[in-house]
Amino acid sequence: MTSTNEIRRSFLDYFGAAGHEIVPSAPLVPFNDPTLMFTNAGMVPFKNVFTGLETRATKRATSSQKCVRAGGKHNDLDNVGYTARHHTFFEMLGNFSFGDYFKEQAITHAWTLLTREWGLPKDKLLVTVYHTDDEAFGLWQKIAGLSDDRIIRIPTSDNFWSMGDTGPCGPCSEIFYDHGDHIFGGPPGSPDEDGDRFIEIWNLVFMQFEQAADGTRTNLPSPSIDTGMGIERVAAVLQGQHDNYDTDTFRALIAASESLTGTKAEGESRASHRVIADHLRSSSFLLADGVLPSNEGRGYVLRRIMRRAMRHAHLLGAKEPLMHRLVGSLVTEMGQAFPELGRAQPLVEETLLREEVQFRRTLANGLKLLDEEAGHLGEGDSLPGATAFRLYDTFGFPYDLTEDALRARGVSVDRAGFEAAMAQQKAAARAAWKGSGQTADSEVWFDIAEREGATEFTGYTANIGEGVV
Ligand code: ATP
Ligand code: MG
Ligand code: MG
Ligand code: MG
């Protein structure tokens, strides 16, 4: 079996041999884009090269980039544990051309690597192109010899990439693997495309245009290439598995949580083990890159991920904090490729332990309340926003944790009600503060608290349990 570590090596070696500089993964906190919460694609560290702000010594690069998609524009948090292909943390393998080669070579490389180097059967692969991109359509015919019905024209933004409202943009072409008709799902562009039969493994972006503020597009003088392939998805294919969670890395992590909890990843426990393995990876890598749990911004996304995993540990019957005891297995699996993980191991373990001890103090009571309030609700019902807010305010349950807890029973949460309750509490706290006869300074303070998130805000209200406001 080809291990995930071997696949990463093989990808980087292939593109290294084809004249690409092998670039180590950048941190998960983007150094070049304050508007982006986490690095969420392989091209992120190269943004300024694509826009021309920065030049590199080499015009070709390849990397296996750490990515987190758990907030902002790309948020896969709710998919985790429930689809075969989504993680909050994953690695994106990529090859990049900065104004050097373009479509023909990008397609040739992708096809050669997949079918010659890695030996994937042609009849399991199909591709999409942007509906007007006749050039890409013709190249797939010519290079891969794919029949017309295996080159699907897609008219939506799924196959048109842009960096932002202005800047480089262009059509893209995605490569899908057909896992077989025993799995539900239709080909891309069909009504059942969200199923898990046809899984997108690789996206080739052809940066061809420059978009101006008024929306007009002009041809870039030297078009560029950006590609991204999820290592976990291609590992599943190369290891003869359908599901990312059945690959070597995830099996090792799930075996560890099975043994520590004395439960099997089957039936009702299946999603819990998956969520724990996934969230262990995202939490540990975020901590290793310097993010710490807090009540605002990146730190709050991290805290939400950690607490969600911790609820699942509790569901599996863990009587003691669990997450920190899994870090060793993760370092065994991924520490060689990402040495920062091993270096940060003590910090990661300590932070996970501290957070789990703290959260477990209120977790059981919160779940009891949830049971009382939602016990009678069934499929299609909705939990009142005020209850979700109490869970948040008093028991430190992030909103999405409550949602996740009710999901298995088909119960949703009234988000508008939750937000209204939150706004009301803020207004009440503000009024109380004003009533204490403070001067204009307090106004400034509240504005800062709201802008920065409410970490400091908690000290001034009476009934905050875990201080998550
Ligand atoms: P999908 O449609 O399956 O959500 P995507 O179109 O959002 O994927 P891209 O933004 O094109 O994904 O990212 C490039 C590649 O990264 C994808 O082809 C896939 O292999 C991988 N990838 C994207 N999101 C995830 C994720 N949440 N977990 C694991 N791999 C992912
Ligand atoms: Mg997606
Ligand atoms: Mg897609
Ligand atoms: Mg895609």
Side-chain angles (χ1 to χ4, degrees), residues 273-288:
H273 281 285
R274 290 168 168 237
V275 170
I276 289 169
D278 175 87
H279 291 13
L280 171 75
R281 295 200 330 155
S282 44
S283 305
S284 302
F285 274 99
L286 286 169
L287 287 163

Side-chain angles (χ1 to χ4, degrees), residues 3 5 46 256 261 289 306 356 375 405 412-413 433 437 445 448 450:
S3 70
N5 285 323
F46 303 112
T261 57
D289 278 348
M306 290 164 83
E356 199 160 356
S412 61
V413 184
W433 185 255
W445 189 87
I448 292 170
E450 277 184 4

